[in-house]
Amino acid sequence: MIIGISGLNNTDNPAPGVGVAKGLLEKHTLIGLSYDPNEPGIYQGLFSKVYLMPYPSVGAEEFKQRLRYIKEQTGLEAVIPTLDAELYLYIKYQKELEKDLGIKTFLPSLSQFERREKAKLAQLAEELGIKSPKTYQLFSVEELIKLLRDGDELKFPVMVKGNYYRAYKASNLEEAIEYFYKISNEWGFPILLQEVVSGEEINYLGLGNRGKLVGGIGIKKLTTTDIGKIWNGITIENPTLLKLAREFVEKTQWNGAFELECISNGREIYLIEINPRFPAWVHFATAVGVNLPQMVVDLMEGKEVEPQLDYPSQKMYVRYVDEVVTDFKLFRQILTKKEL
Amino acid sequence: MVEMVIDENNIGYIPSLGTSFQLNETAKEIILMLKQGKSKDEIVEELAKKYNKDWREVFIDVTDFMEKLKIYGVIQ
């Protein structure tokens, strides 16, 4: 299959595309869909062709035109989008992409996607019978000050989060205001203010097939970067986390990859966030025998897939730094011609 | 139920949380007794007898240790 994959950043803030590509490299022709010539994944030898994509904010027509062009050039048959900011477009136009362009995707519906949004998480958690931290949606710094200085709903420390990206722990009002501007300047509004829950952060990466959990692994991040990206991790066996993943998929009739971010203190689990896509550590699952990107491709092709919910416990994931030396003309080419 | 498994190097590991702890001999003994289903009173009695210590002193230490185990999610 000829598959387009987005999210080629592979710096200290890696995107999932490289991990997805590693799971598909042996059997498929891969096309990189990049937003920036600086993305290291472009130069790692994973993709037969790479195309620069218009930013999602440019609009749907540019996006569809670009995919049509890539289809004509490469015979693109499917796309696995991996970035939050572009998912809305892919989800909204998924039927059109398949019908008009012959490009398959494997994604949730718009209503499923919206049910797990950060601002609506508390409601979904309640429906799933699980706890979630108090979360407030903010559109101005005045609201933040009012909540933190004048209200008693939240106590420091608090998490200041972007709707798509970034999350910082603020220990006082000054820090909270700083993070509010830092995130809103880069990613816009709303900003979310969230209660901090103490315990161990555990995560579940899963794949839903029209309401049925068909694959996944549970992990704990052992060490992370300053912005919470995994360095080392370990596979865990947590029946409560698996049950939550199953219930989430069933309740929302979820279709596609997802990541549950939870905090557990050993007694109960709090649901912190649900990402509607593969996480950047997706290759961890592939390496322990649960190749979720390949399962996505099988499902896109209409094949039956055997559920893969078993995996070895206590396998350790180690991320490390690597280097590539390449010709600068490749960078110039993608910058000017928007393809490589 | 105490979920912790202890390896040959006295590393206690909680499979559902992925957390590890380095245990000393006494910590290991207490966790093994908890896994056998022994109560705090039984553990205190056994340790006091084994180390020839006043049970009151042992009771304070065991209580303190068990509070820490609760905080770390090792016991409920």
Side-chain angles (χ1 to χ4, degrees):
Chain A
M1 208 176 198
I2 301 170
I3 304 164
I5 300 171
S6 66
L8 310 190
N9 199 12
N10 202 9
T11 59
D12 59 341
N13 184 14
V18 168
V20 171
K22 281 157 86 176
L24 300 175
L25 192 57
E26 281 181 22
K27 292 186 182 170
H28 305 278
T29 301
L30 305 181
I31 310 294
L33 305 176
S34 172
Y35 291 94
D36 182 344
N38 290 297
E39 290 183 324
I42 297 171
Y43 309 101
Q44 287 183 241
L46 299 163
F47 301 99
S48 56
K49 293 274 286 177
V50 177
Y51 292 86
L52 276 194
M53 293 293 288
Y55 283 117
S57 54
V58 174
E61 277 317 306
E62 289 271 338
F63 159 79
K64 283 189 272 186
Q65 268 178 31
R66 189 61 174 159
L67 285 177
R68 184 174 292 117
Y69 172 79
I70 297 167
K71 170 82 182 181
E72 287 163 4
Q73 296 296 310
T74 64
L76 185 70
E77 293 169 276
V79 174
I80 302 182
T82 69
L83 301 171
D84 289 329
E86 68 183 4
L87 271 173
Y88 180 81
L89 277 179
Y90 278 100
I91 289 172
K92 189 171 179 192
Y93 295 104
Q94 55 183 300
K95 285 183 183 151
E96 208 174 317
L97 290 180
E98 177 151 21
K99 190 166 158 273
D100 299 348
L101 300 180
I103 296 172
K104 292 177 191 294
T105 53
F106 195 75
L107 297 167
S109 68
L110 206 50
S111 65
Q112 289 161 4
F113 177 73
E114 286 169 350
R115 275 183 85 182
R116 37 65 39 202
E117 280 181 349
K118 290 178 189 178
K120 296 178 182 164
L121 193 67
Q123 191 186 331
L124 179 59
E126 200 179 327
E127 288 175 42
L128 293 168
I130 195 155
K131 291 186 174 175
S132 69
K134 278 188 274 186
T135 305
Y136 299 86
Q137 195 174 346
L138 310 176
F139 291 89
S140 70
V141 77
E142 287 76 24
E143 288 177 279
L144 175 132
I145 293 168
K146 196 174 168 200
L147 253 173
L148 292 176
R149 197 182 56 193
D150 309 332
D152 340 304
E153 291 95 344
L154 278 176
K155 298 263 181 282
F156 287 107
V158 294
M159 294 303 297
V160 185
K161 292 181 161 188
N163 201 31
Y164 289 133
Y165 301 108
R166 298 282 189 263
Y168 298 100
K169 192 189 275 189
S171 303
N172 52 53
L173 185 61
E174 288 69 28
E175 275 184 9
I177 292 170
E178 185 191 333
Y179 296 141
F180 179 94
Y181 283 122
K182 195 171 177 175
I183 299 169
S184 61
N185 284 342
E186 193 178 357
W187 295 105
F189 293 100
I191 296 295
L192 300 154
L193 209 55
Q194 194 171 69
E195 174 192 19
V196 170
V197 180
S198 61
E200 299 294 336
E201 185 184 332
I202 54 177
N203 302 61
Y204 192 87
L205 159 59
L207 177 64
N209 178 22
R210 298 182 203 294
K212 188 181 173 206
L213 182 68
V214 291
I217 69 167
I219 72 146
K220 176 182 162 52
K221 294 176 183 177
L222 295 176
T223 55
T224 62
T225 66
D226 289 347
I227 54 170
K229 306 298 171 188
I230 186 169
W231 269 123
N232 296 329
I234 187 168
T235 52
I236 59 170
E237 300 163 57
N238 191 309
T240 317
L241 188 61
L242 176 60
K243 184 169 170 273
L244 173 63
R246 274 188 209 279
E247 286 174 358
F248 161 69
V249 171
E250 280 170 21
K251 191 92 184 169
T252 58
Q253 287 294 296
W254 191 263
N255 202 55
F258 67 92
E259 181 198 16
L260 302 179
E261 294 184 4
C262 302
I263 300 276
S264 174
N265 56 15
R267 290 182 297 281
E268 48 198 358
I269 285 186
Y270 286 80
L271 182 59
I272 303 297
E273 204 167 307
I274 302 174
N275 291 314
R277 50 159 175 79
F278 287 119
W281 49 270
V282 53
H283 191 64
F284 192 5
T286 305
V288 297
V290 185
N291 190 339
L292 297 171
Q294 181 56 50
M295 288 176 90
V296 163
V297 173
D298 289 342
L299 289 164
M300 285 196 290
E301 289 181 320
K303 292 180 185 167
E304 286 288 317
V305 298
E306 277 293 307
Q308 291 185 44
L309 298 167
D310 292 328
Y311 54 88
S313 178
Q314 294 191 53
K315 285 290 177 187
M316 191 172 166
Y317 172 83
V318 182
R319 190 176 265 168
Y320 64 97
V321 176
D322 201 356
E323 292 104 357
V324 168
V325 175
T326 191
D327 288 321
F328 186 57
K329 72 175 183 187
L330 301 180
F331 178 87
R332 285 200 311 263
Q333 185 182 327
I334 194 154
L335 189 67
T336 53
K337 295 191 183 318
K338 302 194 185 315
E339 61 185 81
L340 188 62
Chain B
M1 196 185 82
V2 181
E3 188 197 335
M4 183 182 277
V5 289
I6 301 170
D7 74 4
E8 65 279 11
N9 299 313
N10 282 4
I11 300 289
Y13 175 74
I14 305 179
S16 69
L17 295 178
T19 43
S20 303
F21 303 89
Q22 173 77 62
L23 307 174
N24 64 21
E25 278 305 321
T26 322
K28 182 180 168 183
E29 276 183 88
I30 295 172
I31 288 167
L32 289 176
M33 283 191 265
L34 286 168
K35 281 172 83 78
Q36 289 163 10
K38 290 185 177 165
S39 68
K40 186 161 87 176
D41 287 349
E42 288 171 316
I43 293 170
V44 169
E45 191 185 335
E46 208 166 300
L47 289 177
K49 194 188 276 180
K50 181 175 175 185
Y51 294 105
N52 198 23
K53 294 274 183 193
D54 186 301
W55 73 269
R56 293 172 194 82
E57 196 184 323
V58 177
F59 182 87
I60 291 165
D61 289 345
V62 169
T63 303
D64 181 53
F65 181 66
M66 285 178 72
E67 284 304 314
K68 285 193 177 112
L69 292 181
K70 275 185 198 162
I71 291 166
Y72 293 135
V74 178
I75 58 173
Q76 309 307 320

